[in-house]
Amino acid sequence: QRHTVAGFIRLTDNLRTFFVGDGYYSHRTTIIRAMEKANEGMPAEVVPIKAQELRDDEFFRTNAFTALLIDTGAIGMLMLIALFLRCAFRVIAGTGPNRAVLVSTLALAFAWQFSVNTTGLCLFYLLFMPLGLVDQLSRVNRESAPAAPFRGNVPVTARRRLA
């Protein structure tokens, strides 16, 4: 996709942008020249024209991956990947019955940033952050798994001691 190519063009413009990015939500203005470079040499009929590109705005909207890449740089993207891996490790290390559902939720949420705009990033961070939604659900999964089988209100091992 041309947005991703433009993101990497903008990222390699200078060292500061490469390491720490341009700043939160600044991708809208800094990607314009990179999009012009990415579309350079393409025939006019191949370049898709969307309604937002026909407007006379001074900013450009892109997908969340490219926006995060430009806004946070390589260090921010490495931290995001580390956060994802930490959350995935905590889910996989758990013993609950819903581990597969939670891991697939993590994978889908991570892939989600390639198709959505930056407006959905709040939910994205709420899923991944330490003690976030997925981490809390995996903790409930671990703590609710019974250690001993139950019959009625009393565990089987306690019932044997009472008898």
Side-chain angles (χ1 to χ4, degrees):
Q1 191 179 31
R2 292 286 166 200
H3 295 253
T4 307
V5 172
F8 282 110
I9 288 172
R10 176 64 191 135
L11 194 67
T12 57
D13 274 350
N14 60 37
L15 283 177
R16 184 187 64 83
T17 302
F18 180 78
F19 285 112
V20 295
D22 285 333
Y24 185 70
Y25 220 58
S26 64
H27 66 275
R28 297 168 14 131
T29 56
T30 60
I31 198 174
I32 293 173
R33 293 210 190 335
M35 280 301 292
E36 290 170 357
K37 286 181 188 176
N39 289 330
E40 210 170 73
M42 288 185 65
E45 64 271 0
V46 177
V47 177
I49 298 175
K50 298 179 182 172
Q52 68 149 14
E53 294 171 358
L54 294 175
R55 297 187 312 209
D56 190 24
D57 291 337
E58 297 174 358
F59 60 88
F60 192 85
R61 297 184 195 277
T62 184
N63 62 14
F65 173 77
T66 306
L68 285 173
L69 188 65
I70 293 172
D71 290 348
T72 63
I75 293 173
M77 290 304 283
L78 288 175
M79 290 175 69
L80 179 69
I81 291 169
L83 185 65
F84 167 74
L85 291 175
R86 179 209 168 269
C87 190
F89 177 75
R90 286 185 56 103
V91 169
I92 292 170
T95 58
N98 296 329
R99 282 188 311 180
V101 173
L102 292 174
V103 168
S104 63
T105 300
L106 283 174
L108 287 173
F110 196 75
W112 183 41
Q113 66 179 330
F114 294 100
S115 63
V116 299
N117 198 336
T118 57
T119 55
L121 284 180
C122 186
L123 177 61
F124 182 72
Y125 285 124
L126 285 174
L127 284 172
F128 284 120
M129 68 183 196
L131 299 177
L133 296 174
V134 172
D135 202 5
Q136 291 290 327
L137 287 173
S138 71
R139 179 176 292 162
V140 168
N141 242 351
R142 280 192 302 266
E143 293 172 358
S144 66
F150 277 84
R151 246 188 241 143
N153 293 334
V154 182
V156 173
T157 54
R159 195 175 287 228
R160 288 182 192 146
R161 280 182 278 181
L162 293 175

